[in-house]
Amino acid sequence: MIDFEHVSKTYETHNDENVALEDINIHIDEGEFVFILGHSGAGKSTFLKLIQMEEKPTEGRVLINGQDLTKIKRRKVPYLRRQMGVVFQDFRLIPTMTVYENVAFAMRVTNISTKKIKARVPFALSLVGLEDKMDRLPDELSGGEQQRVAVARALAHGPKIIIADEPTGNIDPEMSLDIMQLFEAINKVNITVVVVTHEHELVNKLAAKYNNRVITLADGMVASDTAHPEVARRYAAKVAARSHDGYDDE
Amino acid sequence: MRFSSFTYLVGQGLHNLRANRLMTFASMGVLTVCMLLIGAAYLLGVNIDAMVEYIGDQNETVVYMNLDATEDQIAAADSAIRSTAHVVGVTYVSPQEVLSIYSDMLADYIDLESAFSSDNPFYPNYRVVVDSPDNIPTVKQQLEQIDGVYRVNAPLDLSNIFVSLQRTISYACYAVVGVLAIVSIVVINNTIKITVFNRRKEIGIMKLVGATNGFIRFPFFVEGVTSGLISAAIASGVVCGAYYALCRWYAENPTTLSQMFGGQLVPLTEVWYYIVGGFALLGFVLCGIGTATSIRKHLNV
Ligand SMILES: Nc1ncnc2c1ncn2[C@@H]1O[C@H](COP(=O)(O)OP(=O)(O)OP(=O)(O)O)[C@@H](O)[C@H]1O
Ligand SMILES: [Mg+2]
C-alpha cells in the first residue's frame, strides 16, 4: 500500500541544506497499524508529508497503491489525497469555519451528499467528544479540542489510510488513550493507520496489546522496525561506518 | 459536480463577497465608472451615426439641366438619373415650379410671375437623393456625364465633414472601450489576488484535504462575476436614466443646430437592450478573465 524506495529528503534553506531523511526503505501493507517513533527532528513529519504529497522526495520514490507519487499528474493529486485522512501536527483547521464546517468541508470536497454530511459530521465529532462544540470557531477551542477536531475531520470522509502526526500531543493521557483506541478500532475494518508519536509508554502498551508495528526513526534513518528486526542491525552498522569515516560527532 | 456542491460553492462565493465588501465595493466602483464611460462612448457613437444618416437623407444633390433643354432631353435625363447606382430618390422641379416657389416667397414685394411670364430664368432641375454620403462624389461624376446636364451641385463638404467626424469618434470610442476593459480586468484581478493572498493558508489546507483546483476557484469566480454583474446593473440604471433625461431635454429645447440634425436623439427604447446586455456581458467576461488570471499562483500546493 505505502512504499518508500531509497527515499532521501533534503530541505534547501536560505543558507544551507538540511537532510531530513536518508535512504529510507519501508513497506507498509494494507490494513497495517504502524507507530512511528523518534526524537524531535528525526524526520517523522517529513516522512508523513511525503506520503500526502505536501513535499517531494529529493531522491528515490514513494508509491501508494503502486502509483509513483513523483510521476503522478498534478490533476490526480486531489483524488489520491481524498483516500487519506490526515491529522496534521499543527491541526490546520480553517479559522473562518466552525468546527462543524471544518469537518463538513473535508467531506464536501470528496463529493459526499449533503444528507450524508449532515448525518456523519455529528457522529465523527461525537467520537472525539466534541458534539456539543460544533458551532464554535477553532480559535474558541483549547489546543486539545482543536486537535480532536482535526482527528474527526481525518475520519469523517471514510478514508482508506489514516495518517496522524502527534494526534495526542496536546491531549491529556486519558483522552490520548481514547483517541489511540479509536484508531485501533478503525484499523479493525482494514483501514491502514500510520501514527507518529513520541509517547513511548503508550506505544509500548498498545503495540503489545494490539500487535502493532513500531518503526523508530533517528537522524533521518530507520533505526528499528519491529516488522523487520534485522534493520536495527543494519542501522547500527551504518552508523558505525559513518563514525569511521569521520562524519559523526563521536 | 453534485448540485449540492454547486449551491454550496455559489453560497461560499456570495458569502465571501459580503465578507470582503469594502474591497469589493472599491473594485465595483471602478468597474461601474468604466462602464459608465463605455456607455457614454457608445451612445455618442450611436447618435453621431444617426445624425450622419439623417444628414445624408436630407441632402439633395441638385442636377441643373441646360436652359434650352428639350422635353425629350429632360425625359431622357430622368431615366438616366434613375438608373444611376446609389440613387434612391429623384424629383423633377420644372422652371415654372421654381418660379412659383420664389414668387410665393417674395409675394409682398414683387410680382415675379408676371415679370418672368414669357422669359423664365430658372433652370429645370432634378433633386436627387443618394443612399449614403460616402457615395456622393461618384454619383456626382456620373450625373455630370448625362446629356443636357448643365451643372451638378452636391453637398459634398458637409457630408465629408460628417463622415470623417463619425470615423474619428468611432475610433476614439473603440480606444476608450479597450483601455477601460483592460483597466477593469486589472482592478478585478488585483482584488481577487488580495483575497486569495489573505486566504492562502486556507487554500493550502483545502488542497491538502483533497480539494480540486476547480472546487477552490469556483467561489472566487462567483465572487468576481457577481460583483461584475452588480456593477453592470448599477451602470445600466444610471446610463439609461441619464440618457432618458437627456433625450427629453434635447427634444424640449430645440436649437437651430439640433433642428439641422432632426431635432431628436436616438430614443432609449432603441438602445436600452444593447446597454443592459452589453454591460452584463462586459461584467461577466471582464470579471471572468480577471478572476481566472489571479488565482493560479496559490493553487500549486
Ligand atoms: N520546511 C523546512 N525547511 C527546512 N528544514 C526543514 C523543514 N521542515 C523540516 N526541516 C528539517 O528537517 C528535519 C526533520 O524535520 P521533521 O519535521 O520531519 O522532524 P520531526 O521528526 O517531525 O520532529 P518533531 O518531533 O519535532 O515534530 C529537521 O532537522 C528540520 O529542521
Ligand atoms: Mg513533526
Side-chain angles (χ1 to χ4, degrees), chain A residues 44-46 89 165-166 196:
Chain A
K44 308 182 295 293
S45 294
T46 304
Q89 189 167 12
D165 198 347
E166 305 267 12
V196 163

Side-chain angles (χ1 to χ4, degrees), chain A residues 11 13 18-20 38-47 55 89 166:
Chain A
Y11 288 105
T13 59
N18 215 338
V19 181
H39 61 82
S40 181
K44 308 182 295 293
S45 294
T46 304
F47 178 77
E55 296 286 352
Q89 189 167 12
E166 305 267 12

Side-chain angles (χ1 to χ4, degrees), chain A:
Chain A
M1 163 138 271
I2 302 172
D3 287 289
F4 276 62
E5 294 179 355
H6 299 289
V7 174
S8 296
K9 173 69 190 176
T10 308
Y11 288 105
E12 305 274 347
T13 59
H14 59 281
N15 56 357
D16 127 73
E17 291 189 336
N18 215 338
V19 181
L21 290 177
E22 200 183 322
D23 192 24
I24 298 285
N25 289 287
I26 287 177
H27 171 78
I28 296 172
D29 259 334
E30 187 176 347
E32 262 195 284
F33 192 119
V34 183
F35 281 116
I36 311 272
L37 285 171
H39 61 82
S40 181
K44 308 182 295 293
S45 294
T46 304
F47 178 77
L48 298 188
K49 282 176 184 171
L50 291 173
I51 297 175
Q52 75 210 46
M53 286 159 283
E54 199 182 339
E55 296 286 352
K56 282 200 180 98
T58 330
E59 269 171 63
R61 52 183 202 159
V62 179
L63 296 98
I64 291 186
N65 290 330
Q67 202 160 21
D68 186 346
L69 299 189
T70 52
K71 293 203 181 114
I72 192 170
K73 287 211 180 67
R74 182 160 251 164
R75 204 158 34 78
K76 290 195 171 164
V77 170
Y79 301 95
L80 203 62
R81 281 178 178 156
R82 289 175 197 180
Q83 297 183 15
M84 307 175 196
V86 183
V87 184
F88 299 92
Q89 189 167 12
D90 49 358
F91 321 146
R92 308 249 181 125
L93 300 175
I94 297 172
T96 52
M97 291 186 182
T98 62
V99 167
Y100 178 94
E101 286 164 349
N102 262 287
V103 178
F105 183 81
M107 296 176 75
R108 197 142 5 223
V109 155
T110 54
N111 235 353
I112 294 172
S113 73
T114 309
K115 202 174 137 200
K116 250 194 194 147
I117 292 175
K118 277 188 180 145
R120 288 201 62 173
V121 174
F123 174 68
L125 285 169
S126 73
L127 288 179
V128 294
L130 283 177
E131 65 273 36
D132 55 340
K133 293 188 175 159
M134 291 200 290
D135 297 324
R136 299 244 197 125
L137 289 172
D139 282 347
E140 298 163 354
L141 298 178
S142 73
E145 286 169 336
Q146 290 182 37
Q147 191 149 40
R148 277 140 65 197
V149 177
V151 171
R153 178 180 65 185
L155 307 178
H157 64 287
K160 293 205 185 78
I161 307 172
I162 302 264
I163 292 166
D165 198 347
E166 305 267 12
T168 59
N170 292 272
I171 299 174
D172 52 57
E174 207 172 312
M175 193 78 199
S176 296
L177 187 65
D178 283 351
I179 298 265
M180 289 298 191
Q181 275 174 336
L182 180 61
F183 287 141
E184 300 281 3
I186 289 163
N187 177 245
K188 286 277 183 301
V189 291
N190 210 32
I191 289 169
T192 313
V193 180
V194 181
V195 179
V196 163
T197 182
H198 61 269
E199 296 187 60
H200 289 267
E201 281 174 36
L202 191 63
V203 170
N204 288 339
K205 209 163 90 186
L206 288 168
K209 183 172 172 195
Y210 296 100
N211 197 21
N212 301 141
R213 176 175 170 188
V214 181
I215 296 173
T216 310
L217 294 181
D219 294 329
M221 287 184 275
V222 181
S224 74
D225 183 344
T226 55
H228 307 282
E230 80 278 8
V231 295
R233 192 182 42 73
R234 251 190 279 156
Y235 170 74
K238 218 167 171 178
V239 171
R242 265 192 185 185
S243 56
H244 282 303
D245 293 344
Y247 281 113
D248 225 2
D249 296 341
E250 291 166 295

Side-chain angles (χ1 to χ4, degrees), chain B residues 207-246:
Chain B
K207 287 229 68 178
L208 282 179
V209 298
T212 55
N213 288 351
F215 198 89
I216 292 170
R217 207 181 276 145
F218 200 88
F220 288 106
F221 207 72
V222 171
E223 187 179 340
V225 168
T226 307
S227 61
L229 293 180
I230 293 174
S231 305
I234 297 171
S236 298
V238 172
V239 167
C240 289
Y243 187 65
Y244 179 72
L246 183 69

